[in-house]
Amino acid sequence: MARVPLTPRVRPERVPLSFAQARLWFLYRFEGPSATYNIPVAVRLTGDLDIEAVVAAVGDVVARHESLRTVFGEDEGVPFQRILPAEEAPIPVHAEKDRSGRVEGGGCGGAGYRFDLSGEIPLRATLLECGSREHILVLVAPYRGGRGSLAPLARDIAVAYAARTRGRDAGVGAVAGAVRDYTLVQRKLLGSADDPASVAGSPGRVLAG
């Protein structure tokens, strides 16, 4: 199958969910909010920290990535993507003290947070204070396909933080090939699960992404 370039496309009024998003939405509706599919990453920060710059940097990255501003809407049982405008998306940074002295997987730093997929953006950042010059930034997101690691996101935040601490514009710009464009390309190539003549509707097919 020929590869279709991921470029900005004419978008319908309501963009459907990608297949990975649809699976996550089904589980959310069936089980309720769950931390089962959360992906965490922790970054240790040593030295003097400008907390306001951290918050601003996370906001810069959320504004840049549509996928981080996407919540799931539903109309008569049919889910769709709803992308919040950058100026309306909350900056999901929470500060707390790391009383245990280490980041634990069972919920410390928000790793066990249960996202409301219908109303919350899919990112939560917790800034743990371990000491006057020791912090840990924990990023958590529910897996939606196409993003198996948050390490690139952590790097984006580091670049934006460096710009903020120098008093410079973080250079935020929309990422080419946004989540809605990816979904439209995917649906065009694979068709609908309701159509047996399409790739998605063929028996035995397992779809990812």
Side-chain angles (χ1 to χ4, degrees):
M1 181 180 296
R3 183 181 295 273
V4 177
L6 185 55
T7 56
R9 298 186 168 251
V10 177
R11 297 169 175 179
E13 182 178 354
R14 286 183 176 173
V15 177
L17 305 187
S18 71
F19 293 113
Q21 289 175 331
R23 285 197 301 272
L24 187 61
W25 176 252
F26 171 80
L27 292 171
Y28 172 77
R29 296 290 284 164
F30 183 73
E31 301 175 351
S34 170
T36 302
Y37 301 97
N38 282 0
I39 304 173
V41 65
V43 181
R44 184 173 293 277
L45 309 171
T46 303
D48 295 330
L49 188 70
D50 185 334
I51 295 179
E52 290 186 1
V54 171
V55 174
V58 173
D60 291 336
V61 174
V62 169
R64 183 169 186 256
H65 293 270
E66 276 193 357
S67 62
L68 299 179
R69 293 183 278 111
T70 300
V71 299
F72 296 162
E74 185 178 13
D75 183 25
E76 297 183 352
V78 179
F80 59 91
Q81 297 184 38
R82 185 164 64 89
I83 289 81
L84 301 178
E87 63 273 12
E88 295 180 14
I91 301 178
V93 181
H94 308 268
E96 59 185 65
K97 292 185 181 294
D98 179 20
R99 302 185 185 283
S100 67
R102 61 193 178 96
V103 177
E104 300 175 353
C108 181
Y113 186 75
R114 298 168 183 255
F115 287 89
D116 174 8
L117 301 181
S118 65
E120 287 184 286
I121 65 171
L123 178 68
R124 181 179 175 88
T126 301
L127 188 62
L128 297 172
E129 180 186 341
C130 307
S132 60
R133 292 171 54 83
E134 292 286 338
H135 294 79
I136 297 175
L137 180 64
V138 182
L139 305 174
V140 181
Y143 177 70
R144 295 187 174 193
R147 185 177 62 225
S149 169
L150 294 185
L153 180 62
R155 289 194 292 269
D156 281 357
I157 292 174
V159 171
Y161 174 77
R164 287 286 183 172
T165 55
R166 292 194 297 266
R168 298 179 181 176
D169 190 312
V172 175
V175 176
V179 62
R180 286 183 288 188
D181 302 310
Y182 169 81
T183 301
L184 294 174
V185 169
Q186 184 187 65
R187 293 284 180 173
K188 178 179 178 62
L189 288 175
L190 302 181
S192 170
D194 298 328
D195 180 7
S198 70
V199 175
S202 299
R205 290 282 185 177
V206 177
L207 301 177

